[in-house]
C-alpha cells in the first residue's frame, strides 16, 4: 500500500514539474530581450557625449607620464 502511494506521489510530482513547451518561449523572450539591450547599449555608446568621454579617457590614458 505504501509503495502505491509513493508511486502516485512521484507521478503527481512529475506532472506538476513538467514544463514542456515553455523552454522554447523562454529562450525566445530571452533572445529578444538580449537583442533589445544590445541595441540600446549600441545607441548609448555611439552617441556623441559618450564617444567624446571615451576619447578623452583614452587620450588621458595614453598621455600619462610615468
Amino acid at each position: 500500500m505504501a509503495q502505491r502511494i509513493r508511486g502516485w506521489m512521484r507521478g503527481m510530482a512529475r506532472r506538476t514539474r513538467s514544463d514542456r513547451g515553455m523552454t522554447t518561449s523562454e529562450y525566445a523572450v530571452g533572445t529578444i530581450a538580449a537583442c533589445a539591450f544590445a541595441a540600446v547599449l549600441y545607441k548609448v555608446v555611439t552617441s556623441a557625449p559618450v564617444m567624446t568621454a571615451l576619447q578623452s579617457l583614452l587620450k588621458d590614458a595614453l598621455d600619462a607620464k610615468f
Side-chain angles (χ1 to χ4, degrees):
M1 180 74 167
Q3 198 172 25
R4 288 177 68 188
I5 293 172
R6 277 190 225 118
W8 179 80
M9 289 178 70
R10 278 191 214 112
M12 288 300 288
R14 259 187 247 120
R15 278 183 238 129
T16 57
R17 283 187 279 164
S18 176
D19 58 29
R20 273 188 256 159
M22 296 210 26
T23 56
T24 302
S25 62
E26 289 169 354
Y27 283 125
V29 169
T31 302
I32 290 170
C35 290
F37 180 71
V40 169
L41 186 62
Y42 177 77
K43 282 290 190 183
V44 168
V45 170
T46 57
S47 68
V50 175
M51 288 294 280
T52 304
L54 287 173
Q55 288 173 350
S56 172
L57 181 71
L58 285 173
K59 183 180 178 209
D60 291 344
L62 293 174
D63 290 340
K65 294 184 172 51
F66 293 101

